[in-house]
Amino acid sequence: MGHDPTPARDGLYIIRDKSSRKIRQPQRLEITVNMHPPHLNDRISSEAPVDHWGDIDCAGVTVLDLGAGDFGMRHEKAYISTVDHWLGLGADHVVAVDMNLRDLIAVGGDDDRVTIVADTLFHSSQIDALLEQHRPAIVKVDIEGAECLLRDVRRQAFRIAEAWLVETHTDDLHDDVIVALDHHGFDVVRVRGHVDSNRFRVVYAVRRSDD
């Protein structure tokens, strides 16, 4: 399929299509986060990206998608991938990170608006490196328990983004994420639970302008 694996810092492997262009860094001071669109209910009822992540104004910006693999959901339940979700909302570029290379190639390998990074996230320095290299305006995090790494992301790197969207599965992990967001100067604007469990939550936060 014409992909070159390129070693990067901290053992990450970035796989780019050979025809891909250099990522343009958008000149944008702020983004609008609409956390209350008419279709977004108070509780999450499916794995569909629009149900999880809502309407985010990502026109012209880079989205860092940590946990971008769809593990067959597109085929089993006809959901679009989170990568397609961001592109459909106008993202200029999506950096799709997941441990499953085959999944990543399936959801973004042929689109020069997508950079796929195949790696397992196990240390906060990996997230630091991704933030510093790609400078996203929005970060989505759904990494099955590794959200605890956000506690140790460097403040300077954490604040490159203007919005963080984080899924958590336990009370302790949720508390850790809330503390990390507040510590790095982000206001939580909405928390949504799942129809089947209040322990399953999605947290939406935006950077405080006066911090």
Side-chain angles (χ1 to χ4, degrees):
M1 297 182 65
H3 302 282
D4 263 347
T6 304
R9 288 184 295 175
D10 300 310
L12 295 174
Y13 275 81
I14 299 177
I15 292 82
R16 296 179 183 272
D17 187 275
K18 290 182 177 178
S19 63
S20 66
R21 55 179 169 73
K22 183 178 180 181
I23 298 175
R24 177 176 64 83
Q25 296 303 325
Q27 298 300 312
R28 187 183 176 94
L29 296 178
E30 64 180 36
I31 58 174
T32 301
V33 181
N34 177 15
M35 293 306 176
H36 300 274
H39 71 271
L40 191 64
N41 298 320
D42 287 335
R43 290 189 176 272
I44 297 164
S45 58
S46 77
E47 291 295 322
V50 69
D51 191 17
H52 263 62
W53 311 111
D55 287 344
I56 308 297
D57 177 14
C58 27
V61 305
T62 294
V63 177
L64 175 59
D65 190 336
L66 302 180
D70 74 347
F71 300 100
M73 295 301 293
R74 290 176 302 127
H75 305 296
E76 293 176 12
K77 297 192 176 181
Y79 298 150
I80 65 170
S81 68
T82 54
V83 172
D84 287 333
H85 179 63
W86 306 127
L87 293 175
L89 291 174
D92 180 69
H93 205 92
V94 178
V95 181
V97 183
D98 203 276
M99 63 183 179
N100 191 324
L101 175 58
R102 183 175 298 178
D103 244 12
L104 290 175
I105 291 174
V107 300
D110 292 324
D111 193 325
D112 66 3
R113 297 171 298 173
V114 180
T115 294
I116 59 178
V117 181
D119 198 60
T120 299
L121 297 176
F122 61 89
H123 196 276
S124 62
S125 63
Q126 295 169 283
I127 300 176
D128 289 340
L130 289 163
L131 289 163
E132 290 166 352
Q133 179 176 358
H134 299 287
R135 308 196 69 80
I138 300 167
V139 184
K140 166 257 183 180
V141 188
D142 182 5
I143 47 180
E144 306 304 318
E147 291 83 4
C148 62
L149 298 177
L150 300 186
R151 294 175 302 190
D152 299 317
V153 171
R154 292 190 305 104
R155 180 180 173 86
Q156 183 177 359
F158 202 104
R159 290 177 58 78
I160 287 171
E162 299 177 50
W164 283 79
L165 319 175
V166 187
E167 181 179 284
T168 62
H169 293 157
T170 69
D171 292 338
D172 288 344
L173 190 56
H174 174 77
D175 292 344
D176 284 346
V177 167
I178 296 296
V179 169
L181 289 166
D182 181 64
H183 175 71
H184 291 305
F186 283 76
D187 286 328
V188 174
V189 296
R190 191 171 189 181
V191 177
R192 298 173 63 226
H194 195 275
V195 291
D196 296 325
S197 173
N198 283 327
R199 298 184 68 191
F200 175 104
R201 303 180 184 97
V202 172
V203 179
Y204 309 82
V206 294
R207 192 173 66 201
R208 288 195 290 268
S209 59
D210 60 348
D211 195 314

